[in-house]
Amino acid sequence: MSYLLVHEDREYLRAPGDELQTDLGVLEIPEDVEPGDVIETHLGTPFVVRRLRGPDLFNHFERTGAPMLPRDVGLVVGHTGIAAGDRVLDAGTGTGVLAAYLGRMHADVVSYEIDAEFADVARENMRLAGVDDRVDVRTGDLTARLDEVVEEGPFDAVTLDTGDAPAVVRRAPALLADGGHVAVYSPFVEHSREAVEVAREAGLIDVDTFETIQREMDFGERGSRPSTAGVGHTGYLTFARKEQ
Ligand SMILES: C[S@@+](CC[C@H](N)C(=O)[O-])C[C@H]1O[C@@H](n2cnc3c(N)ncnc32)[C@H](O)[C@@H]1O
């Protein structure tokens, strides 16, 4: 488990025993560090130690594949009901934001990442999140390994954030436990439509797609209204379920 090290508007994510080098000096993080402690760099700059929370994963993980936004993670959890003790198959790991959130919920996650360097970064991110014992990041192409992965099933949920997700959805009946869900995240509606068609062909039920749009509210002196910064579209989430 790592901690946030906070000085004014700066925040760093580090584990006990790590060393943080900044222009404010070198900070050695003690093995017995606790939230609320104040530790100083060798130049005397104080950093407050803060407990890690879910959104910190999105803000501070080293990034590779575009990470899932917290709101989309919320929708995945809400629509699949993933809970402690569930077995989840995930691809691609990418930065590992979704996988780490699920690990922090005490789900047991097997996550495939096709890019070996991305997988290494994701493993380090899981270590920082304190979930490396529950999130098994595997280097490899999930689609190419489906025959062997099916043998490890069934999974309570399958979460997919890859361009070839429909090929995995096609095998969802063999991967999922009874009543288990598959979730597909896609930035493009054509891709979502393909996932829907494949899910229906595969005999999955409760096939639904949602566009995720979130509007931030501005509370100004003159009044309150949605932010004018943009429509807040992130993508489409398709859910489907194995009946039995
Ligand atoms: C958008 S990122 C996933 C982000 C991740 N959901 C998160 O929350 O951080 C997509 C990742 O999928 C990987 N990928 C694409 N196709 C794959 C496949 N067939 N098997 C495993 N990984 C794959 C890519 O290399 C990329 O890192």
Side-chain angles (χ1 to χ4, degrees), residues 143 146 160 163-172 175 194 198:
T143 308
L146 279 173
L160 302 168
D164 59 1
V168 183
V169 174
R170 195 174 297 287
R171 300 291 298 279
L175 290 164
E194 190 186 349
V198 169

Side-chain angles (χ1 to χ4, degrees), residues 54-181:
D56 301 319
L57 310 172
F58 180 82
N59 292 330
H60 295 290
F61 270 179
E62 183 179 339
R63 291 190 181 189
T64 56
M68 199 173 275
L69 266 77
R71 69 185 190 229
D72 294 316
V73 173
L75 287 168
V76 168
V77 172
H79 283 269
T80 61
I82 292 169
D86 279 356
R87 297 191 67 222
V88 180
L89 175 65
D90 174 66
T93 320
T95 298
V97 167
L98 176 62
Y101 259 97
L102 299 180
R104 280 175 54 84
M105 292 165 49
H106 285 229
D108 292 310
V109 184
V110 173
S111 185
Y112 276 83
E113 172 52 55
I114 200 168
D115 183 302
E117 287 181 19
F118 287 10
D120 284 343
V121 172
R123 282 187 203 99
E124 172 62 8
N125 284 342
M126 296 309 119
R127 183 185 77 87
L128 288 171
V131 296
D132 43 338
D133 57 340
R134 279 191 292 275
V135 181
D136 178 8
V137 177
R138 299 181 185 172
T139 305
D141 178 344
L142 173 62
T143 308
R145 298 201 178 174
L146 279 173
D147 286 340
E148 63 194 80
V149 176
V150 161
E151 296 299 317
E152 292 182 54
F155 296 91
D156 298 291
V158 177
T159 55
L160 302 168
D161 188 353
T162 65
D164 59 1
V168 183
V169 174
R170 195 174 297 287
R171 300 291 298 279
L175 290 164
L176 286 170
D178 292 353
H181 290 83

Side-chain angles (χ1 to χ4, degrees), residues 176-196:
L176 286 170
D178 292 353
H181 290 83
V182 60
V184 179
Y185 176 84
S186 175
F188 302 113
V189 73
E190 295 89 345
H191 188 231
S192 301
R193 185 183 176 103
E194 190 186 349
V196 166

Side-chain angles (χ1 to χ4, degrees), residues 2 13 15 17 22 39 48-50 66 87 113 116 150 154 161 163 171 184 186 203 211 223 228:
S2 56
L13 189 60
T22 76
I39 51 180
V48 177
V49 179
R50 198 189 297 157
R87 297 191 67 222
E113 172 52 55
V150 161
D161 188 353
R171 300 291 298 279
V184 179
S186 175
E211 180 179 12
T228 54

